[in-house]
Amino acid sequence: TDIATTTAAAAAASHQEELQVERQQRQQLETELSNVKENAKITLESLTQSNLEKEDLTQKLAGIQQELETAQAQVVTLRDAQATATSLEAESSLSQSLSTKEHE
């Protein structure tokens, strides 16, 4: 019976060691899983922030594009006005020239 008791005690000790190893492995896996979840959360927050920044930049770019289009339209208007003014100056100069010649 001493052999049976010793064998049973050895088997129980061996089983206890296996359980301890499994607990340690489980704890390690739970820690790793927790770390993965935390990293995923941080990555998601970072991506969300990046998307918000991208949306903000997209809106700013749209505003700049609108300002550029407005400025381009103003340039066209100014060029038209300048051409009209130049034409009126030429007509006025011609009229003055003709008027001066009529008085001579």
Side-chain angles (χ1 to χ4, degrees), residues 76-86:
V76 169
T77 301
L78 288 173
R79 283 184 182 157
D80 288 347
Q82 187 176 20
T84 301
T86 301

Side-chain angles (χ1 to χ4, degrees), residues 31-44:
T31 300
E32 289 177 12
L33 179 60
S34 176
N35 290 340
V36 167
K37 285 181 180 179
E38 185 62 26
N39 288 339
K41 180 181 173 188
I42 291 169
T43 300
L44 180 60

Side-chain angles (χ1 to χ4, degrees), residues 2 4-6 8-9 16 31 51-52 55 64 69 79 81 86 89 91-92:
D2 284 339
T5 304
T6 303
Q16 197 65 24
T31 300
N51 282 340
L52 291 174
E55 288 175 18
I64 291 169
E69 290 172 5
R79 283 184 182 157
T86 301
E89 286 175 4
E91 286 179 23
S92 174

Side-chain angles (χ1 to χ4, degrees), residues 5-63:
T5 304
T6 303
T7 302
S14 176
H15 183 67
Q16 197 65 24
E17 285 178 20
E18 288 175 7
L19 288 176
Q20 182 64 27
V21 168
E22 286 178 8
R23 279 190 207 111
Q24 288 173 344
Q25 288 175 340
R26 180 175 168 207
Q27 188 175 17
Q28 183 179 358
L29 288 174
E30 287 174 352
T31 300
E32 289 177 12
L33 179 60
S34 176
N35 290 340
V36 167
K37 285 181 180 179
E38 185 62 26
N39 288 339
K41 180 181 173 188
I42 291 169
T43 300
L44 180 60
E45 289 171 355
S46 176
L47 288 173
T48 300
Q49 183 63 32
S50 293
N51 282 340
L52 291 174
E53 291 170 2
K54 179 182 173 187
E55 288 175 18
D56 184 49
L57 290 174
T58 300
Q59 289 175 354
K60 286 180 181 176
L61 182 59

Side-chain angles (χ1 to χ4, degrees), residues 57-75:
L57 290 174
T58 300
Q59 289 175 354
K60 286 180 181 176
L61 182 59
I64 291 169
Q65 183 69 32
Q66 184 63 42
E67 290 175 13
L68 178 61
E69 290 172 5
T70 300
Q72 287 172 333
Q74 289 173 345
V75 165

